[in-house]
Amino acid sequence: MKGKLYGVGVGPGDPELITIKAKRIMESAQCIAVPKTSEGKESLALSIARDTVRMNGEIMELVFPMTPDAAILAASWDNAANAICRKLDGGLDVAFLTLGDPTVYSTYAYIHNAVEKMGYEALIIPGIPSFCACAARAGVSLGENNEKIAVIPYAYEPDVLSEVMEKFDSVVLMKVSGNLEKVREILAVKWPGAEIALVSRCGLPGERIYRSLGQVGDGETGYFSTMIIKKGGAA
Amino acid sequence: MKGKLYGVGVGPGDPELITIKAKRIMESAQCIAVPKTSEGKESLALSIARDTVRMNGEIMELVFPMTPDAAILAASWDNAANAICRKLDGGLDVAFLTLGDPTVYSTYAYIHNAVEKMGYEALIIPGIPSFCACAARAGVSLGENNEKIAVIPYAYEPDVLSEVMEKFDSVVLMKVSGNLEKVREILAVKWPGAEIALVSRCGLPGERIYRSLGQVGDGETGYFSTMIIKKGGAA
């Protein structure tokens, strides 16, 4: 009998934000697939789960380089999917660990589709997405009543913020650190009454929470930075 | 010493989607505040947690009527906040249970702000939001790469979907059941290539998953229905 693939969300950083189900699946899987960006580095998803979850399966490291080169990316996904399918063929259940939630900007989406297409069963175990954890840490609400929420990966099209703010009450900017100056500019000109919460390394060592853009020094926040903007203030 | 208020997300329905932290907070709180819509009814949040979490605190039921009357709503929030503050004054920690995540369309937001304003400490413990669990159950991704995600409470302004679809790759419609006909109409005219996943009662008894609007009978889905629309298809 073939094994099953589980895409398991380990949440944004705090090991206690792992769900009971994610813990159970990771503890019973015979193979733990862990994504990393390069050979030498430790997998962040694995390091979050390691002390809280008693994993018994063999660890299979999968390298997904951080590159804009579509061919290199596609090759890394194919390699990973094939490696996983060989384990499934051997009857092993595979838990693929992923930061946050597997359906929110995760490499797992590609693996899921590829493995399913090859005829295997693949299931998604949700995790706390980073933006919910950031909102919680900052004590702000993402949406109430009839408020509309936009989630924007903010490394691609920074000008879009202005237009999105017209229609949405709350805007979540993922991976915002490279474009803080742009946010500052758009808010100052058009939305001076907006309130922000910026959380860097939420639930990880070195976590920082900012409630004003004036507090943020250049280069102070890193890759794992999420901003929540409440148009009407009262964030 | 005064107690602390914890807004605890119990996730969307499946008791195994409770986090380790939420479980710990619920088990240690001396008072469990449970929202319900009327006196006679059982609290859904409590029923989700009851079998998985060993709660020892006294149960405090708080009634939040489902009404559009702002004065009645505000009075119910005030009453609840005051009742909670009396427990905090007595040195009890209070865990306020909330479906899904406390920062996503939850009554807890009002309670949190009111209690904080009165000078007490209030903390948010994230939960899996319903839309992540729905995406997981349907096996679809909410967003990849540079895709923008919109989350719309779809009981208020159904016409807005058309405009939102212009700018966003993924659209989540919360509480969609009353406006399915409108969605059908907008997609048929302008976005015939879009794919949908509609999940009703995700993780609860009677869960249904639909991958086409043609499959959905009138009145078949209830209050807890969430739809994910992928503009480019391949949901």
Side-chain angles (χ1 to χ4, degrees):
Chain A
M1 203 162 101
K2 282 177 182 171
K4 285 180 196 167
L5 170 63
Y6 295 89
V8 178
V10 303
D14 178 349
E16 270 202 295
L17 292 185
I18 293 171
T19 68
I20 296 167
K21 183 173 258 178
K23 184 171 190 288
R24 176 174 63 78
I25 300 286
M26 286 187 267
E27 291 182 346
S28 66
Q30 292 94 4
C31 175
I32 310 288
V34 295
K36 42 200 292 188
T37 51
S38 66
E39 280 294 350
K41 275 193 167 173
E42 195 194 26
S43 156
L44 182 56
L46 182 61
S47 74
I48 290 169
R50 184 185 286 134
D51 293 335
T52 305
V53 180
R54 272 181 240 100
M55 285 173 277
N56 305 298
E58 59 168 303
I59 304 287
M60 176 167 62
E61 298 192 334
L62 300 169
V63 176
F64 299 98
M66 286 188 108
T67 167
D69 185 321
I72 295 178
L73 276 176
S76 73
W77 298 333
D78 280 352
N79 286 341
N82 288 328
I84 287 167
C85 290
R86 285 196 294 272
K87 299 293 180 186
L88 301 177
D89 283 333
L92 307 188
D93 285 340
V94 177
F96 183 106
L97 308 195
T98 175
L99 268 181
D101 179 76
T103 73
V104 177
Y105 306 116
S106 159
T107 299
Y108 177 71
Y110 306 99
I111 304 301
H112 183 90
N113 292 339
V115 168
E116 250 192 351
K117 233 173 242 164
M118 290 190 270
Y120 300 85
E121 193 175 354
L123 295 157
I124 301 175
I125 311 299
I128 302 286
S130 60
F131 53 79
C132 287
C134 292
R137 291 292 294 144
V140 310
S141 164
L142 285 169
E144 294 165 38
N145 279 318
N146 61 347
E147 290 182 350
K148 301 193 251 323
I149 308 168
V151 181
I152 315 279
Y154 204 56
Y156 302 91
E157 236 189 304
D159 285 322
V160 82
L161 175 60
S162 187
E163 191 182 351
V164 169
M165 294 268 303
E166 300 275 357
K167 299 290 169 197
F168 285 77
D169 308 280
S170 302
V171 182
V172 175
L173 302 178
M174 313 274 293
K175 312 276 159 71
V176 69
S177 61
N179 287 305
L180 286 180
E181 206 40 63
K182 190 77 200 173
V183 178
R184 230 187 286 258
E185 188 189 305
I186 290 173
L187 295 187
V189 172
K190 291 189 64 179
W191 313 99
E195 292 194 21
I196 68 112
L198 172 61
V199 184
S200 175
R201 297 186 60 79
C202 186
L204 292 168
E207 178 189 80
R208 294 286 302 268
I209 301 171
Y210 307 87
R211 295 306 304 269
S212 141
L213 277 170
Q215 297 169 2
V216 190
D218 280 350
E220 218 178 274
T221 66
Y223 182 69
F224 292 108
S225 299
T226 300
M227 189 184 298
I228 298 159
I229 305 175
K230 301 286 285 185
K231 187 165 71 178
Chain B
M1 203 160 102
K2 283 180 181 169
K4 285 180 196 167
L5 171 62
Y6 296 90
V8 179
V10 303
D14 177 348
E16 271 202 295
L17 291 185
I18 294 171
T19 67
I20 296 167
K21 182 172 257 177
K23 184 171 191 286
R24 175 172 64 77
I25 300 286
M26 287 188 267
E27 291 182 346
S28 66
Q30 293 95 2
C31 176
I32 310 287
V34 295
K36 42 200 289 188
T37 52
S38 67
E39 280 295 350
K41 274 192 167 172
E42 195 194 26
S43 156
L44 183 55
L46 182 61
S47 73
I48 289 168
R50 185 186 285 133
D51 293 335
T52 306
V53 180
R54 270 180 240 101
M55 286 172 277
N56 304 299
E58 59 169 301
I59 304 287
M60 176 166 62
E61 298 192 335
L62 301 168
V63 176
F64 300 99
M66 288 189 107
T67 168
D69 185 321
I72 295 178
L73 276 176
S76 74
W77 299 332
D78 280 352
N79 287 341
N82 288 327
I84 288 167
C85 290
R86 285 195 295 274
K87 299 294 180 187
L88 301 177
D89 284 331
L92 307 188
D93 284 340
V94 178
F96 184 106
L97 309 195
T98 178
L99 269 180
D101 179 76
T103 73
V104 177
Y105 306 116
S106 160
T107 299
Y108 176 72
Y110 306 99
I111 304 301
H112 182 91
N113 291 338
V115 168
E116 250 192 352
K117 234 174 239 162
M118 289 190 271
Y120 300 85
E121 193 175 352
L123 295 157
I124 300 175
I125 311 298
I128 302 287
S130 60
F131 53 80
C132 286
C134 291
R137 291 291 293 143
V140 310
S141 164
L142 286 168
E144 294 164 37
N145 280 318
N146 61 346
E147 291 183 350
K148 301 194 251 321
I149 307 168
V151 180
I152 315 279
Y154 203 56
Y156 301 91
E157 236 188 303
D159 285 322
V160 81
L161 175 61
S162 187
E163 192 182 350
V164 169
M165 293 270 301
E166 300 276 357
K167 299 290 170 198
F168 285 76
D169 308 280
S170 302
V171 182
V172 175
L173 303 178
M174 313 274 291
K175 312 276 159 70
V176 69
S177 62
N179 287 304
L180 287 180
E181 205 40 62
K182 190 77 199 172
V183 178
R184 231 188 285 261
E185 188 188 305
I186 291 172
L187 296 187
V189 173
K190 290 188 66 178
W191 314 98
E195 292 194 22
I196 68 113
L198 172 61
V199 184
S200 176
R201 297 186 60 78
C202 186
L204 293 167
E207 178 189 81
R208 294 286 302 269
I209 301 171
Y210 308 86
R211 294 307 304 268
S212 142
L213 278 170
Q215 298 169 358
V216 191
D218 280 349
E220 219 179 272
T221 66
Y223 182 69
F224 292 108
S225 300
T226 300
M227 190 185 296
I228 298 158
I229 304 174
K230 300 287 285 186
K231 188 165 69 179

